[in-house]
Amino acid sequence: MINEIKKYADEYSVNESYYDIDEIRFSNNECDLNNVWSDHLYNIFAASGRRIVNIEIQNKNDINNIEFLMKNAVENPSYNGINNRHYSFEQKDMEMDDLEIYEIMKQMVDSAKLSGADSSAGLVYKKKFKNRVITNYNDIKYITGGYEIVIRSFKDGFSGQESVHTGFKFNIDPYRYGELAAETARKTSKKIDIDEGKYDIILSPYALGTIMTYNSNFFSYYNIDAGISPFIDLLNSRVGPENLTLNDEPLNMNGIGYRPVDDEGTLTSNKKIIDHGVLKTYLHSYSTSVKAGTATTGNAGIIHPVPWQLSIEPGSRSYIDIINDIDAGIFINNSWYTRFQDQRAGIFSTVPRDGVFYIKHGEIVGSVSGIRISDSIINILRNLQEVSSERVNVKWWDEIHPSIMPYALVNNINISKGF
């Protein structure tokens, strides 16, 4: 396959992945599907001058299409090559904890029932990927993977959800997450109607993870260069309070977002994107770093750099203590349907779900429905007051990419209502 690519390309990067995935899906407290996948995938980037092609195939014979694609590709004036530095990499032992995913499911379901849930549904994944990155300059093999668990519990028509991930070492407690999902569903019995307006908000790790995931592309130099980021011209400027430090942690093996090598064979590193409130770096591939006059950060996507595993550093107080100090506000456990109204300004809306509660004098007094956060990432970061000492490894569909998030108190967030 490499020889075929070389016929038409000056530079190339082939990301080869062999994967084994075990899945259990459950509903109404019972397992209703058990899937096992073992397959392989090739993601191929090839360039001839500034004409570039990026394809994904499963059959090596499909590489024959590259001649047609390359001949018909147009030049990309922003492309400046792939990293030509040679790296040596030897991964340490990556043995995965071997747990039965049915038992993980059973622990969650049983604990949710004991905690008062009528029923629960969700997923458990066990994933292992054998990866290889081949470029003109490097040939690197590495292994990634871990576990993902999702449980959504129901009580009298209300829901609570937990959705977490871990790396090769299974360091989460399924029983506890079943309890938490049920407890959230039970809290929603009394409904409270609120007006539209500005509120102090406690974002759970899931709600914060959703907001940070959807806004994470704005740290990519691709978005900066394209003019579709609110962080343009803010490098080395204050974008949040002193107690906000946002990292990208691809080398944190406690999460499924562990990624030691990027798409062009550059070794990754943990880095501070925002350091004590100051924006310290954009995310770069080699190509974008050439255009920006800096060094790659090991975040290729060759054309569109991406974060691997976002992490916000913890604070000093528990989220319960933070809630106790709120005179009037809203707790949001999760959100979805996040949509942008203005990407240049970072203005978006997202719909809270799975536990939305009104706080009065430091206590939860009832549940809230029919609301939407309608604000901007710039305002949310600048109005962040405090983050909790607790953090959670959060991941859910494409809503939340692998992240490690605390609870966060954010003041003066705009809340609109759909009904």
Side-chain angles (χ1 to χ4, degrees):
M1 182 168 66
I2 297 298
N3 289 333
E4 187 68 19
I5 295 171
K6 286 180 177 179
K7 292 178 184 178
Y8 310 104
D10 306 321
E11 289 188 306
Y12 58 87
S13 176
V14 177
N15 283 261
E16 180 181 358
S17 180
Y18 287 82
Y19 56 87
D20 296 298
I21 300 176
D22 293 354
E23 175 203 36
I24 276 184
R25 188 181 72 195
F26 59 97
S27 60
N28 293 318
N29 297 333
E30 299 289 341
C31 174
D32 51 27
L33 184 69
N34 187 188
N35 278 327
V36 178
W37 296 281
S38 293
D39 214 332
H40 60 276
L41 195 65
Y42 302 92
N43 189 290
I44 300 163
F45 177 90
S48 177
R50 284 188 163 173
R51 289 184 295 122
I52 62 174
V53 168
N54 196 181
I55 60 173
E56 197 170 78
I57 61 174
Q58 287 186 296
N59 189 330
K60 285 185 176 182
N61 294 329
D62 290 339
I63 195 60
N64 296 328
N65 295 329
I66 200 164
E67 177 183 7
F68 171 81
L69 294 169
M70 191 61 77
K71 286 181 177 178
N72 288 277
V74 297
E75 286 198 351
N76 183 333
S78 296
Y79 175 66
N80 296 293
I82 65 173
N83 194 352
N84 59 10
R85 178 182 170 185
H86 176 71
Y87 295 92
S88 296
F89 176 74
E90 184 175 347
Q91 193 173 45
K92 68 178 185 179
D93 179 48
M94 294 293 291
E95 284 298 317
M96 178 182 283
D97 287 346
D98 190 17
L99 282 79
E100 292 293 334
I101 59 175
Y102 178 83
E103 290 302 318
I104 296 172
M105 178 212 78
K106 193 171 185 305
Q107 286 183 48
M108 290 194 295
V109 168
D110 288 350
S111 64
K113 287 196 298 186
L114 287 172
S115 298
D118 296 328
S119 65
S120 296
L123 295 160
V124 182
Y125 285 109
K126 179 182 179 182
K127 300 180 176 181
K128 187 173 184 179
F129 300 86
K130 295 181 179 179
N131 308 286
R132 185 181 183 186
V133 181
I134 308 169
T135 73
N136 303 66
Y137 318 104
N138 288 287
D139 186 346
I140 300 175
K141 297 178 181 179
Y142 65 98
I143 297 173
T144 57
Y147 291 83
E148 300 173 30
I149 66 173
V150 181
I151 182 168
R152 194 170 186 217
S153 295
F154 301 88
K155 177 67 176 177
D156 298 329
F158 297 102
S159 63
Q161 179 172 296
E162 302 292 322
S163 183
V164 298
H165 66 96
T166 184
F168 273 34
K169 301 302 179 184
F170 193 83
N171 54 12
I172 52 181
D173 181 359
Y175 196 92
R176 178 57 179 153
Y177 285 108
E179 285 181 328
L180 290 172
E183 288 171 7
T184 300
R186 288 203 326 266
K187 289 178 184 176
T188 56
S189 56
K190 180 182 177 182
K191 285 190 174 183
I192 291 180
D193 187 44
I194 65 170
D195 296 325
E196 295 184 328
K198 302 282 189 179
Y199 287 87
D200 295 342
I201 305 290
I202 289 279
L203 298 170
S204 83
Y206 303 107
L208 183 60
T210 297
I211 290 171
M212 297 310 300
T213 290
Y214 271 90
N215 286 276
S216 62
N217 281 335
F218 294 144
F219 299 112
S220 170
Y221 190 79
Y222 175 89
N223 287 69
I224 299 297
D225 189 43
I228 46 176
S229 169
F231 298 107
I232 294 171
D233 296 327
L234 291 182
L235 196 62
N236 296 316
S237 298
R238 180 161 296 282
V239 296
E242 181 74 18
N243 59 357
L244 171 63
T245 295
L246 172 68
N247 300 323
D248 180 29
E249 296 186 357
L251 300 184
N252 186 337
M253 297 174 66
N254 290 321
I256 204 168
Y258 167 72
R259 180 72 181 269
V261 182
D262 76 3
D263 285 356
E264 59 184 344
T266 302
L267 300 187
T268 64
S269 63
N270 295 340
K271 65 194 68 67
K272 295 184 185 298
I273 301 173
I274 299 173
D275 186 10
H276 294 285
V278 176
L279 179 62
K280 302 302 289 186
T281 188
Y282 298 131
L283 302 179
H284 285 286
S285 64
Y286 175 82
S287 180
T288 65
S289 71
V290 170
K291 185 164 188 179
T294 186
T296 176
T297 59
N299 289 90
I302 294 170
I303 300 302
H304 192 299
V306 295
W308 302 118
Q309 188 163 237
L310 291 178
S311 169
I312 291 180
E313 293 188 4
S316 59
R317 295 203 301 161
S318 74
Y319 82 96
I320 295 296
D321 288 341
I322 297 172
I323 289 175
N324 288 340
D325 287 343
I326 296 176
D327 186 52
I330 302 171
F331 178 95
I332 296 176
N333 186 56
N334 198 6
S335 71
W336 65 348
Y337 289 120
T338 304
R339 301 292 183 267
F340 284 94
Q341 288 74 53
D342 184 341
Q343 292 194 61
R344 175 61 180 86
I347 298 172
F348 69 94
S349 62
T350 188
V351 178
R353 58 171 277 174
D354 299 321
V356 186
F357 305 113
Y358 190 71
I359 302 167
K360 190 71 173 176
H361 303 313
E363 294 185 358
I364 289 174
V365 294
S367 65
V368 178
S369 62
I371 65 171
R372 182 185 290 270
I373 296 175
S374 299
D375 217 303
S376 74
I377 186 62
I378 293 293
N379 286 342
I380 286 174
L381 294 182
R382 287 177 175 168
N383 291 335
L384 188 147
Q385 300 300 305
E386 189 172 0
V387 294
S388 69
S389 56
E390 307 98 331
R391 297 194 301 169
V392 180
N393 286 22
V394 292
K395 184 183 185 301
W396 181 45
W397 290 358
D398 285 336
E399 297 290 314
I400 311 174
H401 293 171
S403 307
I404 304 164
M405 293 286 141
Y407 296 80
L409 170 62
V410 187
N411 289 351
N412 298 317
I413 294 302
N414 189 58
I415 296 294
S416 59
K417 297 184 69 175
F419 56 88

